Amino acid sequence: MDFQTGTATVHVTVLDANDNAPVFSQTVYNAILPENSPLDTVVVTVVATDADEGLNGDVTYELSRISETGRRVFALNHNTGEIKIIGPLDFEKVSIYEMRVDAKDGYGLTSDSKVIIEISDNVSPGTEVGIINVQDRDSENNRQVRCSIQQGVPFKLVPSIKNYYSLVTTGQLDRELVSDYNITITATDEGSPPLSSSKTVQLSVADINDNPPVFEEQSYSAYVTENNKPGSTLCSVTARDPDWRQNGTVIYSLLPVEVNGAPVSSYLSVNGDTGVIHAVRSFDYEQFRSFKVHVMARDNGSPPLSSNVTVSVFISDVNDNSPQILYPAPEGNYFMTELVPKAAHGGSLVSKVIAVDADSGQNAWLSYHIVKSTDPGLFTIGLHSGEIRTQRDISESDSMKQNLIVAVKDNGQPSLSDISYDEKNSKLTSYLIIALVSVSTFFLTFIIIILGVRFCRRRKPRLLFDGAVAIPSAYLPPNYADVDGTGTLRSAYNYDAYLTTGSRTSDFKFALLLHFSSSA
C-alpha cells in the first residue's frame, strides 16, 4: 500500500488592542505670521502618531480651547493636521493666538498639544521711512523746489514744512521678495530755465523671523541593505528658510519616538547642519523591514520657527539565511527512516522534505535535489514540493535498504543550502563502521583464543585441572565410567570436563562427547 502525507500552513494573526493613545511629535508648536499673509496659507502642521493598527491607529485632529476670534481666523484639517488662515489678520487687534489641538484615535483615546501663533506687525501703507531736505541758494522763485521719485517703487514723497519731504510707503514691504530699493529723488527749481539735481538713496528692508523652514520634499524615503555598517549614510533631508542670518539658519534634529520599543536615537542620527541621516547600528531584515521617523527643521530666530517631515526607512533583504529543514526534525543527524512496501508502484509517495527560509523574495525560493542515492533511478524528488516518490516499480532485486541524501537550496546569489543527510553524518557513519569492525576483530580474536584453549584441554579429559594441580581419577564423579578389561566401552557416554584458569568460581563449561569403539 502507498503511504500518503499532507501538509498545511497555519497562519496565526494576533489581533490588535487599542492600548496606545496618539502621541504628538511636539508638545508645543510655535509659528509667526505676518499680518499680510494671504488666505489658505498653512501656518503649522501638527503630527501625532498611534502605535496601534487599523481603526485603533487612525488619528483625527480637533481644535479646542480657542477663542471665537481665533475660530474666525484659523481652521484645522481634521485628517492632515494642517492649520490654515481663513480670515484677516490684524496685529493691532490680536497679536498672539493660543489654542489646543486634540488628537483622537478610532476608539476615543486622546492626547493634546499646544499651538502658539504670533502675528508680526508689517510696515503698513503710509509709514514714514525717511525725511528728505532740499536747499537752493537762489532767491525768490529760483529757490522754489519741487521733488519727485521714479515710478515702480512702493514709496512716495509727502511735502512737510519748508523744504522738507517725508518718504513714506505706498504698499506692503516683504524682504523675502525685495530686500533693497534704490530710490532716485529728483529736485527741480522753478527758475527759468529750471535747474535740477538727483540723488539716489539705498533703502534696505529689515528682516523679521516670519518664515518657518520648508522641506524640499513632502516626505523622504531611505533604502538600506541589511547587515549595513554602522555610520553608513541613508539619505539627506533639506529645508530652506528665506529669512536672513540667524532667522534663516536651519538646524536639523530627530523627534523623539520609539522604534520597536527602543529610542530612535539608537537606530539613526542626523547631522544638525547638513541634514544627512546616518545609521547608528546594523539592521536585520528578519527583525523588522521598515520604520518611520520624523525630522524637525528649526531656524535660529527668536522665537524659533520649525517644521517637520516624515522619513520612511526601508530595509532590503540579503541572502544571509540558509534553508532550515523542518522535516526530518533537525535533532540528531537529520536521519529520516521511511518504510516502503515491496509492491510499491512507480509514482508512489514515499515521504516529503519540508524546509523554510527566513529570507524573502527569491532569497527564500527553495528547491529540493537528490545529491546521492543508493539506486539513482529508483527515487525522485519534486523540485519545489520536496515530495519523494518512486520512479519505477520496486522489484525483488532492489536492495532492502536505500540511502538518499537530499539538499535544499535557496535562489539567492550566492545560493545557500542545507542537506538533510550531510557529510558530517557520512563521516560519523564511517567512524561507526570502523569502530564496529575493530570490536568485531577483537571479539573474533578472543573466540579463537578460547577455541585454542578448548583444543588444548581436550587431550586430558580424565583430569580436573586447578591451576597446575592434577586430581586423580578416584575423585571423578560417579557418572563417569572406566573402560573394562576388554577395552570395549559398553555404550556412548557424555563426559563433562571442567577447565579453569586458577579460580574455582569462574569455570568455563562446555560439553565434550566421546565415542569409543572396540579393537581386537
Side-chain angles (χ1 to χ4, degrees):
M1 62 178 292
D2 293 342
F3 290 95
Q4 297 182 351
T5 61
T7 61
T9 301
V10 179
H11 296 278
V12 179
T13 302
V14 180
L15 299 179
D16 180 47
N18 190 33
D19 55 350
N20 293 280
V23 178
F24 278 96
S25 59
Q26 297 177 229
T27 56
V28 179
Y29 293 85
N30 291 283
I32 297 180
L33 280 178
E35 62 179 343
N36 63 333
S37 298
L39 299 180
D40 290 330
T41 297
V42 177
V43 181
V44 67
T45 301
V46 297
V47 177
T49 57
D50 194 308
D52 295 319
E53 294 182 352
L55 188 60
N56 296 333
D58 290 340
V59 178
T60 57
Y61 304 93
E62 293 286 345
L63 281 175
S64 65
R65 304 185 203 175
I66 182 173
S67 65
E68 288 301 321
T69 302
R71 290 189 181 276
R72 291 193 295 267
V73 176
F74 301 106
L76 172 66
N77 187 306
H78 301 297
N79 296 318
T80 65
E82 292 181 341
I83 298 177
K84 291 184 177 182
I85 300 174
I86 60 172
L89 301 173
D90 190 342
F91 174 81
E92 282 69 29
K93 289 184 178 179
V94 181
S95 62
I96 187 169
Y97 293 88
E98 292 189 13
M99 63 197 75
R100 287 277 178 175
V101 177
D102 295 331
K104 181 186 300 184
D105 63 22
Y107 284 100
L109 294 182
T110 63
S111 61
D112 62 7
S113 181
K114 188 176 184 179
V115 178
I116 301 175
I117 302 174
E118 295 184 42
I119 310 302
S120 61
D121 187 21
N122 292 310
V123 178
S124 59
T127 300
E128 183 180 78
V129 295
I131 298 175
I132 308 299
N133 177 249
V134 181
Q135 297 291 334
D136 192 315
R137 290 182 291 179
D138 293 326
S139 62
E140 297 180 353
N141 289 338
N142 293 335
R143 66 180 299 174
Q144 299 299 317
V145 178
R146 292 178 289 104
C147 290
S148 63
I149 63 175
Q150 84 272 23
Q151 300 295 318
V153 293
F155 302 97
K156 68 179 181 179
L157 290 173
V158 177
S160 184
I161 57 174
K162 295 184 179 181
N163 291 329
Y164 284 89
Y165 293 84
S166 294
L167 182 63
V168 298
T169 60
T170 59
Q172 297 285 351
L173 301 183
D174 190 343
R175 194 207 67 85
E176 283 70 52
L177 295 177
V178 181
S179 60
D180 295 282
Y181 293 91
N182 290 321
I183 304 170
T184 301
I185 301 174
T186 302
T188 305
D189 62 23
E190 294 184 0
S192 182
L195 300 177
S196 64
S197 63
S198 299
K199 182 71 173 180
T200 299
V201 177
Q202 184 178 13
L203 188 145
S204 297
V205 180
D207 181 53
I208 62 172
N209 191 31
D210 57 347
N211 292 279
V214 178
F215 283 95
E216 292 182 347
E217 305 288 341
Q218 292 185 349
S219 62
Y220 291 84
S221 296
Y223 298 89
V224 58
T225 303
E226 68 170 330
N227 305 325
N228 58 290
K229 292 183 179 179
S232 56
T233 299
L234 302 188
C235 70
S236 178
V237 298
T238 303
R240 308 289 184 186
D241 193 319
D243 292 323
W244 195 38
R245 293 183 177 176
Q246 73 270 15
N247 292 336
T249 301
V250 179
I251 301 173
Y252 303 94
S253 62
L254 290 173
L255 295 180
V257 295
E258 286 193 351
V259 176
N260 282 7
V264 66
S265 58
S266 65
Y267 292 92
L268 302 177
S269 67
V270 61
N271 187 302
D273 297 324
T274 64
V276 176
I277 298 176
H278 300 276
V280 174
R281 62 193 289 180
S282 179
F283 298 117
D284 187 352
Y285 177 85
E286 284 70 45
Q287 290 184 356
F288 56 92
R289 303 180 179 184
S290 65
F291 59 93
K292 293 183 179 181
V293 297
H294 301 288
V295 178
M296 180 179 69
R298 175 181 59 83
D299 62 29
N300 250 346
S302 181
L305 301 180
S306 64
S307 60
N308 304 328
V309 73
T310 299
V311 178
S312 299
V313 180
F314 299 95
I315 303 168
S316 58
D317 182 46
V318 297
N319 193 30
D320 58 347
N321 290 278
S322 300
Q324 298 297 314
I325 295 178
L326 302 181
Y327 183 81
E331 293 82 7
N333 295 317
Y334 282 70
F335 283 108
M336 176 174 63
T337 302
E338 297 289 351
L339 300 178
V340 184
K342 268 286 189 179
H345 298 290
S348 298
L349 180 64
V350 175
S351 185
K352 181 174 182 178
V353 178
I354 302 174
V356 295
D357 196 307
D359 296 317
S360 67
Q362 69 175 14
N363 294 332
W365 296 347
L366 302 182
S367 59
Y368 301 82
H369 310 269
I370 295 178
V371 297
K372 189 175 181 181
S373 63
T374 304
D375 186 345
L378 184 55
F379 297 101
T380 184
I381 190 168
L383 181 63
H384 300 294
S385 66
E387 292 181 346
I388 300 175
R389 295 179 179 272
T390 56
Q391 291 194 85
R392 59 173 174 80
D393 295 349
I394 297 179
S395 63
E396 294 293 334
S397 61
D398 289 323
S399 174
M400 292 292 291
K401 181 179 179 182
Q402 300 283 336
N403 292 327
L404 298 180
I405 300 178
V406 177
V408 184
K409 299 180 179 179
D410 60 29
N411 201 38
Q413 296 296 330
S415 175
L416 301 179
S417 64
D418 194 356
I419 302 179
S420 64
Y421 178 66
D422 54 22
E423 294 180 357
K424 292 188 297 183
N425 299 323
S426 300
K427 292 180 180 179
L428 179 61
T429 302
S430 300
Y431 296 151
L432 292 175
I433 292 174
I434 294 172
L436 181 60
V437 170
S438 301
V439 172
S440 300
T441 303
F442 176 78
F443 181 73
L444 289 175
T445 303
F446 179 75
I447 293 298
I448 292 172
I449 294 174
I450 295 300
L451 291 177
V453 172
R454 288 182 58 185
F455 178 77
C456 294
R457 300 303 185 187
R458 283 183 178 180
R459 305 187 62 170
K460 296 180 180 180
R462 297 291 303 272
L463 297 178
L464 290 178
F465 293 92
D466 187 3
V469 180
I471 303 176
S473 60
Y475 291 91
L476 291 175
N479 61 334
Y480 283 83
D482 290 329
V483 179
D484 58 14
T486 62
T488 302
L489 191 65
R490 296 182 181 88
S491 62
Y493 291 89
N494 288 329
Y495 290 88
D496 290 333
Y498 296 85
L499 302 178
T500 180
T501 59
S503 172
R504 296 180 181 270
T505 61
S506 58
D507 296 332
F508 181 88
K509 180 178 181 180
F510 64 92
L512 176 64
L513 180 62
L514 299 179
H515 293 274
F516 296 91
S517 60
S518 60
S519 58

